[in-house]
Amino acid sequence: RLLYLLQQETSSTELRTECAVVLGSLAMGTENNVKSLLDCHIIPALLQGLLSPDLKFIEACLRCLRTIFISPVTPEDLLYTDSTVISHLMALLSRSRYTQEYICQIFSHCCKGPDHQTILFNHGAVQNIAHLLVSTSYKVRMQALKCFSVLAFENPQVSMTLVNVSVDGELLPQIFVKMLQRDKPIEMQLTSAKCLTSMCRAGAIRTDDPCIVLKTLPCLVRMCSKDRLLEERVEGAETLAYLIETDVELQRMASITDHLIVMLADYFKYPSSVSAITDIKRLDHDLKHAHELRQAAFKLYASLGANDEDIRKKIIETENMMDRIVNGLSESSIKVRLAAVRCLHSLSRSVQQLRTSFQDHAVWKPLMKVLQNAPNEILVVASSTLCNLLLEFSPSKEPILESGAIELLCSLTQSENLALRVNGIWALMNMAFQAEQKIKSDILRGLSTEQLFQLLSDSDVNVLMKTLGLLRNLLSTRPHIDHIMSTHGKQIMQAVTLILEGEHNIEVKEQTLCILANIADGTTAKELIMTNDDILQKIKYYMSHSNAKLQLAAMFCISNLIWNEEEGSQERQDKLRDMGIVDILHKLSQSSDPNLCDK
């Protein structure tokens, strides 16, 4: 009925305005209220109302639209179904401070992802909203700032534009810095820090710019402190994690600001023990945010420890840190699990920690558990961590093998997801390095020859390089070389031929020639090369190649075939002499490259 009255041209403007106000009040209720209003097609009716000449009625419609759009049950796309709506809203921005506040709030709630950002950007959002940052109304300034924080998030195009926009002769970054100051409301400090963070990550502001180093970073660290609200601490830590994620200097700076590493340990202490019954409300609030706090702390620890060994050491020495990560790996919340795995991955880059803390806490156990049927997002990070735990100097290598890792990794190499294929084969490569023969045989059995060929013909060069690395590690130490070549010789020689004939880059061909050199080092395996004229011709061809790396690798093959003290060396030398290898060696001994000349 209210909607009917609102839409009647014959109703007086006062009546239509009152209808919009009452509908807005209903929308403030439960999510079901909003659903019922959406089912009655309230949005088209209110958008239609915006065409009225009466400002009071327009403001009432906008206020109601704002309340509906900030509800989680409202699909954002409803704002974009008709392209004239955005243009009309931009035009209404100049009408009053209320239209400014509500429209900015609608935009910042409905801008989800790059498509929405582009639509708003192309409709002149930056130019139309920029001057609102210096409005006399705090609410308008705040909503405009929020708009910029969602427009610029992970968006280089918007970020690069913002850097050069000025309002009343002042550039936007300078305006954002003023809004960061300690005397401003927290919400404003946080949101302007987010704007500057997005601009920095997009490359629009340098990471060593004073506005980042002296203003944004310290402001975000302040947001992590105990006297901030839980919501603010979550947002502060997540934004800081994003700001410093890829820059080692910022990581070092953050790690020594206000004892941040110790301060974050407090994020794990919620919900705190409840004494009086009056605290039930607080407990409820704490419980709601406890997951988010842990997730934020893990993310920030992961960013802090991404590159610097000393920072990692400090993180691990923080009270019960390893236990917290291990617990995080088995939490019910998938977001916390993902953040904990990220944190573990970051710390697993440290050789020192792999040998000590990771061993003391048997981190591999929960990690192997996480790898069982996890979503891809978690699998990618968890399998990367496993790669590090399987390095030859890591004491976790043995127990991981015993817990069925080979099967698991072989199955990852068949994934549709490229990152998982790379990690699966990479982990097997690390596992095969200086391993005993049984492990190598298990890997070959687990992979199957078909899968090996599949990987060697993978379109991604990373997968190919890691597969060659695996083969090279499998074919090391004589007894192993001979054993593997006696069972898989024919297929491996086929694979080598295939790659040397294919269109591949220098690194790929070099790895392949190194594999041949390893085969040439075997006792019985040598024969597979000596009886294969095609391969011998290829080695000869690469000795005269224009690239010195390939020439050196080809010469390795030759030198491994001709050791005097090995049985049959005379026959092999004669055959190679007949092929003209000696002539090429004479020519290479005159080379200007000292390495080639030497060899």
Side-chain angles (χ1 to χ4, degrees):
R1 181 74 188 150
L2 286 165
L3 266 170
Y4 170 76
L5 290 171
L6 178 96
Q7 288 169 289
Q8 283 306 302
E9 294 295 328
T10 51
S11 306
S12 69
T13 312
E14 288 81 6
L15 176 60
R16 294 170 75 190
T17 307
E18 287 302 327
C19 287
V21 171
V22 178
L23 287 164
S25 297
L26 292 174
M28 297 263 185
T30 63
E31 290 185 354
N32 281 333
N33 287 15
V34 179
K35 279 183 186 151
S36 324
L37 291 167
L38 289 172
D39 292 342
C40 296
H41 307 295
I42 188 169
I43 289 185
L46 292 168
L47 290 173
Q48 193 59 38
L50 299 180
L51 298 171
S52 150
D54 186 90
L55 183 58
K56 283 275 167 280
F57 179 52
I58 290 175
E59 288 174 352
C61 288
L62 281 172
R63 192 181 305 119
C64 184
L65 276 168
R66 181 270 323 257
T67 308
I68 288 170
F69 273 120
I70 63 178
S71 163
V73 297
T74 310
E76 295 83 25
D77 286 330
L78 290 172
L79 185 67
Y80 303 95
T81 38
D82 177 350
S83 59
T84 58
V85 169
I86 304 286
S87 318
H88 188 58
L89 288 172
M90 292 291 176
L92 288 174
L93 274 171
S94 57
R95 295 292 297 275
S96 75
R97 74 186 190 83
Y98 294 111
T99 64
Q100 293 169 349
E101 179 193 333
Y102 304 142
I103 291 171
C104 284
Q105 203 172 354
I106 290 169
F107 284 162
S108 59
H109 272 278
C110 293
C111 183
K112 300 271 195 280
D115 294 348
H116 294 167
Q117 287 171 329
T118 305
I119 294 171
L120 291 171
F121 180 78
N122 291 342
H123 276 89
V126 174
Q127 294 70 21
N128 284 306
I129 296 172
H131 67 96
L132 303 181
L133 289 170
V134 295
S135 159
T136 50
S137 151
Y138 171 76
K139 283 183 171 174
V140 172
R141 289 202 301 279
M142 197 53 233
Q143 292 307 334
L145 186 58
K146 282 191 170 159
C147 247
F148 282 127
S149 101
V150 293
L151 279 171
F153 183 65
E154 292 186 355
N155 191 314
Q157 185 191 23
V158 175
S159 296
M160 290 296 185
T161 309
L162 291 183
V163 178
N164 301 314
V165 172
S166 63
V167 181
D168 298 348
E170 203 170 15
L171 287 168
L172 280 194
Q174 295 167 309
I175 295 177
F176 292 149
V177 167
K178 278 189 177 163
M179 293 175 147
L180 274 183
Q181 289 164 346
R182 289 167 187 255
D183 58 346
K184 298 286 186 286
I186 294 297
E187 170 186 41
M188 184 173 266
Q189 290 184 43
L190 244 177
T191 314
S192 45
K194 282 168 103 166
C195 292
L196 289 160
T197 294
S198 290
M199 289 162 79
C200 178
R201 281 300 303 264
I205 301 178
R206 291 169 51 116
T207 50
D208 56 2
D209 188 299
C211 80
I212 298 296
V213 178
L214 304 177
K215 302 287 185 186
T216 312
L217 187 140
C219 166
L220 289 169
V221 174
R222 281 203 304 277
M223 296 303 150
C224 299
S225 77
K226 231 175 170 160
D227 41 4
R228 297 269 54 90
L229 296 173
L230 300 188
E231 297 87 323
E232 294 161 358
R233 294 170 78 181
V234 168
E235 209 171 328
E238 296 222 332
T239 309
L240 183 55
Y242 180 54
L243 174 66
I244 66 174
E245 190 177 13
T246 54
D247 189 275
V248 66
E249 283 314 313
L250 291 178
Q251 290 158 12
R252 289 187 182 131
M253 223 161 285
S255 73
I256 53 169
T257 306
D258 297 351
H259 306 291
L260 176 64
I261 291 178
V262 181
M263 194 149 73
L264 282 178
D266 196 65
Y267 278 46
F268 294 94
K269 298 184 179 159
Y270 295 88
S272 36
S273 51
V274 175
S275 45
I277 203 84
T278 50
D279 280 349
I280 287 295
K281 247 202 164 106
R282 202 196 75 218
L283 173 70
D284 191 51
H285 176 257
D286 283 8
L287 272 171
K288 202 175 104 204
H289 290 287
H291 285 321
E292 293 170 17
L293 281 163
R294 288 199 292 277
Q295 179 191 342
F298 282 140
K299 273 189 189 165
L300 185 43
Y301 276 138
S303 283
L304 282 165
N307 299 93
D308 188 291
E309 193 60 39
D310 295 334
I311 299 177
R312 288 186 200 126
K313 194 168 174 320
K314 273 192 202 155
I315 292 173
I316 285 180
E317 286 167 0
T318 310
E319 50 174 332
N320 310 335
M321 192 57 209
M322 290 310 278
D323 293 333
R324 292 200 169 119
I325 295 177
V326 168
N327 293 338
L329 291 176
S330 53
E331 280 211 29
S332 56
S333 153
I334 186 161
K335 287 182 166 167
V336 178
R337 281 209 305 278
L338 178 60
V341 173
R342 280 214 179 118
C343 182
L344 189 65
H345 178 236
S346 187
L347 300 173
S348 75
R349 295 187 177 127
S350 155
V351 175
Q352 179 61 39
Q353 301 310 334
L354 284 176
R355 286 187 172 152
T356 51
S357 322
F358 275 53
Q359 195 47 23
D360 303 341
H361 291 267
V363 168
W364 61 271
K365 277 186 191 158
L367 186 67
M368 287 296 288
K369 211 168 134 195
V370 168
L371 281 160
Q372 312 296 332
N373 56 49
N376 275 2
E377 208 182 355
I378 288 186
L379 270 181
V380 170
V381 192
S383 54
S384 274
T385 312
L386 194 60
C387 284
N388 292 344
L389 289 181
L390 286 167
L391 289 163
E392 93 282 3
F393 48 73
S394 157
S396 316
K397 191 167 172 173
E398 289 304 308
I400 292 176
L401 285 171
E402 286 154 22
S403 65
I406 292 182
E407 241 173 301
L408 180 99
L409 295 169
C410 289
S411 70
L412 286 185
T413 66
Q414 300 176 15
S415 168
E416 295 287 300
N417 180 309
L418 172 62
L420 289 179
R421 284 205 305 283
V422 171
N423 287 349
I425 196 71
W426 194 340
L428 288 169
M429 177 183 105
N430 286 349
M431 191 186 275
F433 185 72
Q434 295 183 352
E436 54 202 61
Q437 192 172 309
K438 181 186 175 317
I439 294 174
K440 292 182 176 180
S441 302
D442 287 351
I443 291 175
L444 268 173
R445 231 196 332 276
L447 257 188
S448 82
T449 328
E450 295 76 43
Q451 182 55 12
L452 200 59
F453 273 103
Q454 197 70 51
L455 292 164
L456 288 171
S457 51
D458 199 286
S459 57
D460 183 81
V461 69
N462 251 329
V463 174
L464 178 55
M465 281 298 281
K466 297 287 179 269
T467 310
L468 291 171
L470 167 66
L471 265 178
R472 196 174 166 180
N473 286 348
L474 290 173
L475 294 165
S476 64
T477 71
R478 273 199 188 151
H480 296 186
I481 297 170
D482 289 334
H483 175 76
I484 288 172
M485 292 307 285
S486 68
T487 52
H488 293 78
K490 190 168 154 232
Q491 294 96 326
I492 289 175
M493 292 306 278
Q494 259 176 318
V496 167
T497 311
L498 244 155
I499 288 171
L500 290 178
E501 282 172 357
E503 291 289 315
H504 293 292
N505 66 26
I506 300 293
E507 281 70 31
V508 168
K509 301 232 165 165
E510 185 191 14
Q511 271 285 19
T512 311
L513 287 167
C514 290
I515 290 172
L516 263 184
N518 281 13
I519 296 170
D521 195 35
T523 309
T524 52
K526 278 185 176 45
E527 286 315 303
L528 286 162
I529 296 180
M530 290 310 300
T531 52
N532 188 327
D533 289 341
D534 185 21
I535 286 279
L536 287 172
Q537 286 302 329
K538 285 188 171 52
I539 295 175
K540 180 180 171 182
Y541 163 75
Y542 282 109
M543 283 176 75
S544 311
H545 197 276
S546 56
N547 185 288
K549 280 182 173 175
L550 297 184
Q551 289 178 281
L552 276 171
M555 271 194 282
F556 262 114
C557 298
I558 298 294
S559 66
N560 277 348
L561 291 170
I562 58 175
W563 291 107
N564 278 326
E565 59 272 20
E566 288 176 4
E567 202 180 323
S569 60
Q570 217 38 61
E571 290 88 337
R572 288 194 292 277
Q573 289 181 18
D574 292 344
K575 180 164 184 177
L576 294 171
R577 199 175 275 112
D578 295 344
M579 277 177 61
I581 298 289
V582 178
D583 307 337
I584 300 177
L585 289 172
H586 275 303
K587 211 162 75 198
L588 288 173
S589 63
Q590 256 78 73
S591 164
S592 56
D593 181 325
N595 281 340
L596 284 177
C597 198
D598 234 29
K599 189 75 183 147

